[in-house]
Amino acid sequence: MPSRTIPIIPAAAPPSAGQALEFRALPPLSLYIHIPWCVQKCPYCDFNSHAAGAAIPERQYVDALIADLQTALPLIWGRAVLSVFFGGGTPSLFSPAAIDELLAACRALTPLAPDAEITLEANPGTVESEKFAGFRAAGVNRLSLGIQSFNDQHLRALGRIHDSAEAKRAAALAAAHFDNFNLDLMYGLPGQTQAQALADVDTALSFAPPHLSCYQLTLEPNTRFAAAPPPLPEADLCADMQEAIEARLAAAGYDNYEISAFARPGRQCRHNLNYWQFGDYLGIGAGAHSKLTLPDRVPRQMRWKHPPTYLEKTLAGQPLQDEHSVAVADLPFEFLMNALRLRDGFAPALFELRTGLPLASILPRLRAAAADGLLDLSPERIAPTLQGRRFLNRLLERFLDGETA
């Protein structure tokens, strides 16, 4: 059935740099806490992570995180925090006592929602049953395990510190200690066949995870894999893997609600949904990023990236390395870059709520994308078609500042 046209006033002029913003309501707010240390740096990883070495300065870093949060309070004063995410790095390297102290500080300094989703990332190679129980007792109610593969050959190729047996043990412990947990998988691995990719999915399904993330391995700049690329499967084979994984998970009852995310009904990741719906997030910790909405602008922040510098600057009351407001002309692209990752897209009214701009300002580009089969437009929903999801970068390029319909 063809899409219905959005009944909206004629298109307005595209947003300009000098245009005033006015937000009628502030978005939901999440808190991201970055813990930058790993046992070792994976060759494909471009995150701000660092090999732990002999010892992690846990006490000093916890103090810095709490100081960082205190410094940020004027920007978020009185706003409820709906989710907390401990990311890294490998947050499970920290002790349950440290996580408990950080969550206690969050509750003392912010209106942390009673039902907040609190996620902690863990590496199967750092898993202990007592530690998982300690994280749960501290208030963590969702675990995200970086499995990547259950195949020893592929784990070695990825430079992971765990093997298949440890991955299975970690998944079993996650299921035992947490009602809500995610397993991260990757496909398109060096030497991987489609059958092997599906075998990883089937092994993951044997632990009945409420949520699965399945990403294609990509070669990111400034990584060891970018400098010395391993032999990866051809693009057509990776596309076949993606389609086969989506079909297998759909048959198992998982909803592919975002490009790489699959969930049982009602078990979507609330923290990541807030990102994808262009909500606000405060990021604390080394190299953490924030996006916050003020009545007339949308500032972005970045903390000092290198851990020793972050510790020194933050404990001196200066955690920010950079802060700037998003240019008005860039807001439509930034919104769509997130919202169009979702299979169901967004309600038209959400665009104005999150950007402070009328939807009419991008209507010609939306209609052109719909005419090319990349978007479905209706009064209730603007969503990528299957083709739009497969070629998301091509779709988004239409909304870059300076592009025309």
Side-chain angles (χ1 to χ4, degrees):
M1 181 181 294
S3 301
R4 290 171 286 165
T5 302
I6 299 177
I8 194 167
I9 59 173
S16 62
Q19 185 170 345
L21 294 175
E22 184 177 352
F23 292 94
R24 291 181 288 143
L26 296 179
L29 176 67
S30 295
L31 175 64
Y32 174 79
I33 301 174
H34 191 71
I35 296 177
W37 291 282
C38 294
V39 174
Q40 67 182 29
K41 180 87 171 178
C42 294
Y44 58 85
C45 177
D46 68 339
F47 296 157
N48 184 33
S49 57
H50 306 265
I56 295 174
E58 181 179 279
R59 175 70 264 158
Q60 190 180 12
Y61 197 73
V62 168
D63 290 341
L65 287 171
I66 294 172
D68 194 347
L69 180 57
Q70 289 172 325
T71 302
L73 287 180
L75 286 175
I76 62 165
W77 195 255
R79 296 180 64 181
V81 174
L82 302 183
S83 64
V84 179
F85 196 104
F86 290 91
T90 305
S92 55
L93 288 175
F94 269 38
S95 68
I99 301 301
D100 184 54
E101 184 176 353
L102 288 167
L103 288 175
C106 292
R107 296 185 189 97
L109 295 171
T110 72
L112 183 61
D115 64 343
E117 177 190 86
I118 301 175
T119 302
L120 183 136
E121 289 185 333
N123 186 317
T126 64
V127 163
E128 303 167 13
S129 181
E130 288 185 6
K131 214 171 191 184
F132 273 15
F135 292 143
R136 189 71 183 88
V140 174
N141 53 31
R142 184 176 183 272
L143 197 76
S144 184
L145 268 180
I147 297 290
Q148 316 314 355
S149 176
F150 290 98
N151 181 302
D152 282 330
Q153 172 191 342
H154 297 141
L155 289 170
R156 286 192 297 272
L158 290 173
R160 301 295 287 174
I161 65 169
H162 65 274
D163 60 19
S164 176
E166 288 172 314
K168 292 173 183 176
R169 176 175 174 271
L173 286 173
H177 288 286
F178 293 89
D179 297 328
N180 196 7
F181 66 98
N182 168 67
L183 300 181
D184 266 349
L185 295 178
M186 300 177 78
Y187 65 91
L189 308 180
Q192 189 179 45
T193 66
Q194 181 172 311
Q196 289 171 328
L198 288 175
D200 278 344
V201 171
D202 288 338
T203 302
L205 289 175
S206 71
F207 299 100
H211 194 283
L212 274 168
S213 299
C214 297
Y215 302 92
Q216 182 180 339
L217 173 63
T218 55
L219 304 184
E220 301 295 340
N222 303 314
T223 62
R224 280 187 283 151
F225 271 2
L232 300 181
E234 295 292 333
D236 287 346
L237 176 54
C238 288
D240 291 343
M241 288 182 188
Q242 180 181 357
E243 292 182 4
I245 289 169
E246 290 171 354
R248 183 68 54 89
L249 290 174
Y254 287 79
D255 177 26
N256 185 195
Y257 69 100
E258 187 268 346
I259 288 176
S260 303
F262 303 79
R264 296 277 192 190
R267 308 309 290 272
Q268 297 175 342
C269 177
R270 289 157 52 192
H271 184 88
N272 287 342
L273 266 179
N274 192 39
Y275 289 154
W276 295 322
Q277 293 170 344
F278 209 50
D280 279 358
Y281 52 93
L282 172 66
I284 62 174
H289 290 253
S290 301
K291 174 253 170 183
L292 300 167
T293 302
L294 300 181
D296 60 347
R297 62 190 180 96
V298 180
R300 284 195 178 274
Q301 302 174 332
M302 187 182 81
R303 269 59 181 168
W304 295 96
K305 188 173 182 179
H306 197 51
T309 306
Y310 171 79
L311 288 169
E312 177 188 350
K313 295 284 189 178
T314 302
L315 292 172
Q318 301 173 331
L320 295 187
Q321 181 176 354
D322 179 70
E323 181 175 16
H324 66 276
S325 292
V326 179
V328 173
D330 292 338
L331 282 169
F333 175 78
E334 292 217 6
F335 172 87
L336 294 168
M337 181 173 61
N338 289 281
L340 292 181
R341 291 185 64 88
L342 295 169
R343 183 200 57 204
D344 294 336
F346 60 96
L350 189 68
F351 177 84
E352 183 173 350
L353 282 173
R354 295 290 188 265
T355 67
L357 300 167
L359 185 67
S361 64
I362 61 167
L363 190 56
R365 300 190 214 192
L366 291 173
R367 286 176 171 160
D372 290 340
L374 299 174
L375 279 181
D376 282 328
L377 302 184
S378 79
E380 296 83 21
R381 189 69 41 186
I382 298 172
T385 62
L386 179 59
Q387 184 181 2
R389 297 182 83 192
R390 289 285 187 263
F391 300 99
L392 183 60
N393 287 341
R394 187 181 303 174
L395 170 58
L396 291 172
E397 284 171 0
R398 295 165 177 259
F399 299 93
L400 284 168
D401 186 32
E403 294 290 321
T404 61

